[in-house]
Amino acid sequence: MDNTWQHPHRQFAYFQLRSLHDWLWAGLVISAAAYVFGQYHALMDGYEVAILLATAPLLIWLGWSWPALKGFNLTVAIFSLLAISLYGGDLGRADSAFLLKYLFASQSAIMWMSALYVMATLTYFGLLLSGREFVGKVASCLTWSATAMGLTGLIVRWRESYLMGADIGHIPVSNLYEVFILFSIITALLYLHYEQHYQTRGLGAFVLLVISAAVGFLLWYTFDRHADGIQPLVPALNSYWMKIHVPANFVGYGAFSLAAMIGLVYVLKSQARTADPNGLLQTRLPDLALLDDLMYKAIALGFAFFTLATILGALWAAEAWGGYWSWDPKETWALIVWLNYAAWLHMRLSKGWSGKPMAWWAVVGFFVTLFAFLGVNMFLSGLHSYGEL
């Protein structure tokens, strides 16, 4: 009798524990989703409506689970809506409206993102050297600010593509320029979540190095290849699958990159433990047990999303090219990445492997993933040739 009563009680306890701010957040998200549907439902197909309906409860849950995300999302929403309102229906206002030209036009926001991520990287290294809490808070604020500007840039770029023409408009995850921005944002958000959850900023200098490297590529790609221009989609990409396959893929890439940097920190700290037990790395970096646990969680998260992305990619391929799998170089290397991390998790869960060997494996896995992400586009060609450099 008691168990029967307690079971539904536990089911509703989660909702009963929500604060007024949580319910205000839920109402705001639902209102925003209703507004988007009311304004744009005539332009949306059934799949896009389904994505919108799934996004609203996801945003509510994320805001409830990670309160800092509420303020972040509200900031991005305000910046994006301000930029969209400043544009009106005239793309040419990007060069005349002050706030667009210097802050919120997509290219301006992305340049701010790039500068702030580099500043955050340097500040995290300053924290590593000084150990001062204030320096760490500044580094975190810079990372949050960079991520907000990057996401604002992507959202405004989405609107800009439609201002260029209804036949050109598309979600901005269609080429290397756009997905490098997405990669930076996702990797930063994953890191910031772990930073807040575990109350440690010791990993920031190393994780932000990966993001700064992505920013360096992005800047080269922008100024040398002029890749920041918005182009119409190639026919194969003109699909609702792109809206879910690409973000899922890059949650995987971001998590794998985070795991690699954690693995690098693990190796450095384990070596410092014997070579210099009272040195900087030994005293300022997180404990080895925490690093090992974080590395496992990052790889498990990345593997789950990468598996989902691979399944979605196969369904997309069947629709676009008539077959689920064609051994295209991108598909083949995606399978290699999947097998690599499947083996890592198998050895961790079934054999109990941990420590330095698994850390080195995570680091090596990063280079395998990097080749699948970028190297295939540079050196190989195939059905995914739209991503070539």
Side-chain angles (χ1 to χ4, degrees):
M1 180 70 175
D2 289 339
N3 289 338
T4 305
W5 178 84
Q6 288 176 1
H7 183 69
H9 178 74
R10 288 197 302 269
Q11 287 181 331
F12 290 102
Y14 178 77
F15 296 100
Q16 292 172 343
L17 292 173
R18 295 303 101 203
S19 67
L20 176 61
H21 287 164
D22 287 337
W23 289 112
L24 288 174
W25 168 250
L28 187 62
V29 171
I30 293 171
S31 298
Y35 174 80
V36 170
F37 180 78
Q39 288 290 110
Y40 302 109
H41 71 275
L43 303 174
M44 302 168 70
D45 58 28
Y47 296 100
E48 289 166 332
V49 172
I51 292 170
L52 176 63
L53 292 176
T55 301
L58 176 62
L59 282 176
I60 293 171
W61 175 75
L62 286 173
W64 286 1
S65 304
W66 186 13
L69 214 56
K70 297 176 190 174
F72 171 79
N73 283 329
L74 283 174
T75 300
V76 171
I78 291 169
F79 287 173
S80 302
L81 290 172
L82 176 60
I84 291 169
S85 66
L86 287 171
Y87 268 121
D90 181 9
L91 190 61
R93 287 182 57 80
D95 296 322
S96 59
F98 179 86
L99 289 178
L100 288 176
K101 185 174 183 179
Y102 295 105
L103 281 175
F104 298 129
S106 65
Q107 191 58 21
S108 300
I110 290 162
M111 289 299 104
W112 275 108
M113 177 203 78
S114 303
L116 289 168
Y117 274 139
V118 173
M119 291 169 62
T121 304
L122 296 174
T123 310
Y124 273 116
F125 273 107
L127 169 66
L128 191 63
L129 294 173
S130 69
R132 296 177 60 187
E133 184 179 356
F134 174 75
V135 177
K137 290 181 178 179
V138 171
S140 295
C141 287
L142 287 171
T143 306
W144 276 110
S145 300
T147 308
M149 293 305 291
L151 186 53
T152 299
L154 279 185
I155 293 172
V156 175
R157 184 180 174 87
W158 195 347
R159 175 56 179 164
E160 290 170 352
S161 70
Y162 277 93
L163 290 177
M164 294 177 65
D167 57 332
I168 297 176
H170 60 273
I171 186 172
V173 291
S174 64
N175 55 42
L176 280 178
Y177 174 82
E178 293 167 347
V179 298
F180 259 90
I181 301 168
L182 182 66
F183 167 81
S184 300
I185 293 168
I186 289 175
T187 306
L189 284 174
L190 290 174
Y191 164 71
L192 287 167
H193 174 264
Y194 286 124
E195 177 184 274
Q196 287 197 347
H197 184 74
Y198 290 96
Q199 295 295 300
T200 177
R201 295 187 173 96
L203 297 171
F206 299 90
V207 177
L208 267 290
L209 271 179
V210 174
I211 297 175
S212 289
V215 164
F217 174 88
L218 190 68
L219 294 175
W220 167 80
Y221 205 35
T222 300
F223 296 111
D224 188 73
R225 299 297 180 91
H226 306 288
D228 56 304
I230 298 173
Q231 303 295 331
L233 289 175
V234 298
L237 292 179
N238 192 16
S239 170
Y240 54 86
W241 290 109
M242 184 173 70
K243 299 177 177 68
I244 49 179
H245 166 72
V246 176
N249 216 25
F250 279 86
V251 173
Y253 283 145
F256 294 151
S257 301
L258 177 62
M261 292 301 101
I262 297 169
L264 177 62
V265 172
Y266 189 102
V267 171
L268 292 174
K269 176 147 185 172
S270 62
Q271 292 177 343
R273 185 171 57 176
T274 54
D276 189 9
N278 297 315
L280 193 69
L281 295 179
Q282 184 64 22
T283 57
R284 299 278 167 78
L285 296 177
D287 293 337
L288 291 178
L290 175 60
L291 292 171
D292 189 69
D293 184 57
L294 274 174
M295 182 170 54
Y296 161 66
K297 288 179 177 176
I299 288 180
L301 176 69
F303 183 76
F305 274 90
F306 198 78
T307 300
L308 175 63
T310 302
I311 295 170
L312 294 172
L315 295 172
W316 187 5
E319 182 179 288
W321 300 318
Y324 292 100
W325 196 267
S326 58
W327 296 105
D328 174 77
K330 196 78 170 180
E331 294 173 348
T332 303
W333 275 94
L335 177 61
I336 292 170
V337 171
W338 188 89
L339 290 172
N340 172 68
Y341 288 108
W344 194 100
L345 289 169
H346 173 73
M347 292 302 178
R348 167 84 183 205
L349 296 173
S350 66
K351 304 296 183 181
W353 287 16
S354 62
K356 191 185 290 188
M358 300 299 276
W360 274 117
W361 191 344
V363 173
V364 173
F366 169 74
F367 290 100
V368 176
T369 305
L370 182 63
F371 186 84
F373 174 23
L374 188 59
V376 170
N377 300 82
M378 295 174 64
F379 304 114
L380 303 174
S381 62
L383 293 173
H384 291 78
S385 59
Y386 51 81
E388 290 181 347
L389 291 175

